[in-house]
Amino acid sequence: TKVPRTRSVQYRAKKSDRKDATQAMDVDEAAHVGSALDTRETVQGEPLDGRQAWPVCLTLNLLPTTHFLDATLQEEASVPLKLLVLYSFPSDAAPLLRSMRLIGTDVTDLVQVKSLLKDGEKYARNVWTALEGKLKDEDLRCNQKVRERFLNR
């Protein structure tokens, strides 16, 4: 992963005239076309160290007989209990449960929590593996663009 170089942007809306509110935006130094966070045509910066140890957080939405991920707003509001788990997957060690928290008004027992932690680890591993693949693809794409830019000078 790389940290994009960005410019600070501050927006100040005029109280009297809302139509000209977009003219009240202050941007650093040079004029910029596009988003301040657009990194496609900019230098990407330095890769961050230790990304293989970054944790993945998941919310398991618990119902009396099952659990699910990726709740919609309505589902999230109606679920009586949620388990948040934070796992990291260092390359030289077993998966680490960094944190967990039960949120809600319902109750559960230790046996169910133990089972949910195993499921949560499995889901977090899948998310971490997919994310790691995306980051590697992004690194390759960025490095290829840098090489092409260097060769086309």
Side-chain angles (χ1 to χ4, degrees):
T1 351
K2 301 189 179 201
V3 179
R5 295 183 188 171
T6 60
R7 296 175 289 119
S8 62
V9 175
Q10 182 179 8
Y11 176 78
R12 291 187 214 142
K14 295 180 183 178
K15 292 180 182 176
S16 62
D17 190 7
R18 298 255 176 197
K19 291 180 183 176
D20 294 330
T22 57
Q23 295 175 354
M25 187 176 284
D26 295 334
V27 180
D28 286 350
E29 300 121 32
H32 177 71
V33 177
S35 169
L37 296 176
D38 185 7
T39 60
R40 290 174 290 188
E41 299 298 325
T42 61
V43 176
Q44 292 293 319
E46 295 298 317
L48 296 175
D49 290 331
R51 79 174 181 202
Q52 65 276 5
W54 290 353
V56 173
C57 182
L58 293 176
T59 302
L60 282 78
N61 300 282
L62 309 178
L63 294 172
T65 59
T66 189
H67 64 274
F68 60 96
L69 305 172
D70 297 329
T72 65
L73 289 176
Q74 291 174 334
E75 290 170 340
E76 192 173 316
S78 65
V79 171
L81 191 63
K82 297 175 187 94
L83 175 67
L84 281 68
V85 292
L86 193 69
Y87 278 97
S88 65
F89 300 94
S91 57
D92 59 345
L96 298 172
L97 175 63
R98 298 289 184 171
S99 180
M100 68 170 258
R101 182 170 185 182
L102 279 169
I103 299 174
T105 57
D106 207 357
V107 295
T108 187
D109 61 355
L110 188 58
V111 174
Q112 185 183 18
V113 170
K114 214 172 179 181
S115 171
L116 291 168
L117 288 176
K118 285 182 182 180
D119 290 342
E121 180 183 335
K122 180 180 69 173
Y123 302 141
R125 166 81 67 192
N126 290 341
V127 169
W128 185 85
T129 302
L131 180 60
E132 191 66 17
K134 284 285 203 184
L135 291 173
K136 286 179 182 177
D137 288 347
E138 181 70 13
D139 286 346
L140 290 173
R141 186 188 64 78
C142 290
N143 290 337
Q144 180 65 28
K145 280 189 171 187
V146 168
R147 274 189 240 113
E148 288 173 3
R149 217 176 281 143
F150 180 75
L151 291 174
N152 291 333
R153 285 207 256 176

